[in-house]
């Protein structure tokens, strides 16, 4: 039984991230939301594109206004109006100014902007009542970014701010990594789909739905392989089918002690090497992690296999703790694929038998900027998925710790956005 940290290190080490050349695809900006950049972006535009004004006011020659004051204002002739979007027509001569609006292009000859509040317009002249700093309120061409320099690096996720930059740089098409394909197999003779009539002893395959949602949320594409009965030949066929198309295979069920041998045998007979068999974690002890090397698969690329426990809670905890970081690393993200841990004040006594690293599910709240952890009410049996429904955090009790009392700090694995505490 491996400690959690060791299992995590082994798993991350097994991950072969998508390849920039082989796994890139070109998408348009509006379909690039939350995709991961697979090639660095360089723009041929300077930012700002031209010298422009940061204020509504008057574009002037500093020489003309450097000695002016409230008592001795400078009086300049207004030769043109330059709203944003219009190209200036005049070269400013000595004693001249141009009315200019925020974002508009600076006219040739001008080097400084005087803000409107320090001026008074009189017909076609303007009085300037305060001497500005030289070059005041001018945003200089290329002062934010110079054409040809790196704009965005590979391996970042494209969200609002990055998409705004790409749009501004007129990069309408970007190369992103394809979505990793994740096959989801549910194993168990007792399982039925949600629309089937439930017979005594049967249970709905909820893992298929939970795992599909988590896979999609991680930016990958779930491939539904459905329910496979507890027969080695059927499972072998399903796994063989999965590794032919997927980058990662998730199966749930059938990896506890009783069934374990035959899953391992199947994996090995298909050419996989087993790297993890069990982890000292509760819930989620039986966890099989195997890797098919490129030479073992039809399309010559390696496939990672996770045999998750069948219990719905165990399956999800294993996903959050081990599968999600692996998927993020595989997806091409350059960093930030590790799990997010926060410190929270526990609102309940948290108990464990101290034998395995224990994850207790509940809700993470933000109260006045600080995290609080509320243990989910009801049974903490790994078979109970009903009280898991509002979970956005898993409080962690390390091995040897049997109690974290109410009011103490606890390390929490964040698995959803923290809720804002009701008053
Ligand atoms: P197993 O790991 O196959 O022994 O399954 C452990 C428990 O999880 C059993 O009670 C199963 O019925 C349940 N289980 C297994 N697979 C699923 C699934 N896909 N959805 C919901 N429950 C499941
Ligand atoms: Mg089973």
């Amino acid at each position: 039984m491996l400690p959690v940290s060791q299992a995590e290190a082994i798993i991350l080490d097994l991950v072969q991230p998508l390849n920039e050349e082989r796994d890139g695809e070109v998408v348009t900006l509006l379909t690039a939301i939350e995709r991961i950049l697979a090639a660095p972006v360089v723009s041929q535009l300077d930012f700002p594109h031209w010298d422009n004004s940061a204020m509504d006011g008057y574009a002037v020659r500093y020489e003309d206004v450097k000695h002016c004051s409230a008592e001795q204002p400078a009086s300049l002739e207004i030769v043109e109006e330059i709203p944003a979007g219009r190209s200036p027509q005049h070269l400013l001569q000595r004693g001249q100014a141009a009315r200019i609006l925020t974002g508009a292009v600076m006219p040739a000859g001008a080097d400084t902007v005087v803000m409107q509040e320090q001026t008074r317009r009189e017909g076609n002249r303007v009085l300037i009542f305060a001497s500005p700093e030289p070059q005041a309120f001018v945003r200089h061409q290329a002062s934010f970014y110079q054409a040809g320099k790196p704009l965005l690096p590979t391996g970042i996720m494209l969200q609002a701010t990055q998409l705004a930059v790409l749009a501004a740089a007129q990069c309408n098409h970007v190369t992103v990594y394809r979505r990793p394909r994740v096959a989801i197999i549910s194993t168990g003779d007792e399982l039925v789909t949600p629309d089937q009539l439930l017979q005594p002893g049967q249970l709905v395959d909820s893992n298929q739905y939970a795992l599909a949602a988590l896979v999609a949320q991680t930016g990958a594409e779930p491939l539904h392989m459905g329910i496979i009965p507890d027969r080695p030949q059927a499972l072998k066929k399903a796994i063989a089918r999965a590794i032919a198309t997927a980058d990662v295979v998730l199966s749930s069920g059938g990896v506890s002690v009783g069934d374990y041998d035959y899953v391992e045998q199947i994996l090995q007979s298909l050419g996989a090497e087993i790297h993890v068999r069990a982890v000292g974690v509760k819930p989620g002890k039986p966890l099989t992690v195997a890797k098919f090397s490129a030479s073992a698969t039809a399309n010559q690329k390696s496939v990672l296999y996770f045999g998750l426990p069948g219990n719905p809670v165990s399956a999800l905890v294993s996903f959050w703790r081990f599968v999600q970081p692996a998927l993020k690393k595989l997806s091409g993200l350059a960093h930030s694929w590790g799990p997010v841990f926060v410190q929270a004040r526990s609102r309940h006594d948290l108990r464990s038998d101290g034998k395995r690293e224990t994850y207790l599910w509940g809700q993470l709240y933000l109260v006045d900027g600080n995290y609080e952890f509320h243990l989910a009410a009801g049974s903490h049996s790994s078979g109970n998925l009903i009280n898991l429904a509002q979970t956005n955090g898993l409080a962690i009790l390390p091995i040897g710790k049997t109690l974290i009392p109410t009011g103490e700090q606890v390390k929490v694995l964040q698995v959803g956005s923290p809720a804002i505490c009701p008053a």
Side-chain angles (χ1 to χ4, degrees), residues 186-188 190-191 203-208 230 252-256 259 308-312:
S186 301
T187 71
E190 75 283 25
L191 300 178
L203 195 71
V204 173
D205 168 20
S206 57
N207 288 350
Q208 185 81 216
D230 284 318
S252 67
V255 287
S256 44
D259 319 307
L308 307 175
N311 271 317

Side-chain angles (χ1 to χ4, degrees), residues 140-339:
H140 287 104
Q141 176 169 355
S143 60
F144 302 162
Y145 168 81
Q146 220 177 358
K149 292 242 165 105
L151 183 66
L152 293 176
T154 188
I156 59 165
M157 186 183 279
L158 299 178
Q159 289 173 316
T161 51
Q162 293 87 359
L163 288 166
V165 168
L166 290 169
Q170 295 193 308
C171 300
N172 295 327
H173 294 86
V174 283
T175 306
V176 297
Y177 288 104
R178 66 173 175 81
R179 294 185 188 280
R181 290 184 289 270
V182 182
I184 303 172
I185 301 175
S186 301
T187 71
D189 288 337
E190 75 283 25
L191 300 178
V192 295
T193 56
D195 57 343
Q196 279 177 297
L197 190 65
L198 210 53
Q199 304 292 344
Q202 291 185 327
L203 195 71
V204 173
D205 168 20
S206 57
N207 288 350
Q208 185 81 216
Y209 296 84
L211 293 173
L214 290 172
V215 164
Q217 279 169 23
T218 314
E221 180 191 348
L223 307 174
H224 298 280
M225 307 288 294
I227 299 166
I228 308 300
D230 284 318
R231 271 187 286 110
Q233 276 316 312
L235 186 57
K236 184 171 178 177
K237 244 171 87 177
I239 296 174
R241 209 150 49 85
I243 61 173
T245 48
D247 301 290
V248 174
V249 180
L250 304 180
S251 71
S252 67
V255 287
S256 44
V257 186
D259 319 307
Y260 162 72
D261 276 349
Y262 87 78
V263 173
E264 183 164 336
Q265 267 176 25
I266 291 172
L267 291 171
Q268 280 169 335
S269 73
L270 289 168
E273 193 179 332
I274 315 290
H275 294 270
V276 176
R277 294 182 166 89
V279 184
V281 59
K282 187 179 175 187
K285 183 170 84 171
L287 174 72
T288 301
V289 182
K291 185 168 180 175
F292 294 89
S293 62
S295 57
T297 63
N299 49 7
Q300 298 288 301
K301 80 185 156 42
S302 64
V303 176
L304 212 50
Y305 180 96
F306 289 88
L308 307 175
N311 271 317
V313 177
S314 313
L316 292 201
V317 171
S318 305
F319 185 95
W320 282 319
R321 188 64 187 85
F322 300 111
V323 181
Q324 196 164 48
L327 269 186
K328 287 187 182 171
K329 182 175 179 188
L330 188 137
S331 69
L333 260 189
H335 42 72
S336 315
W337 19 264

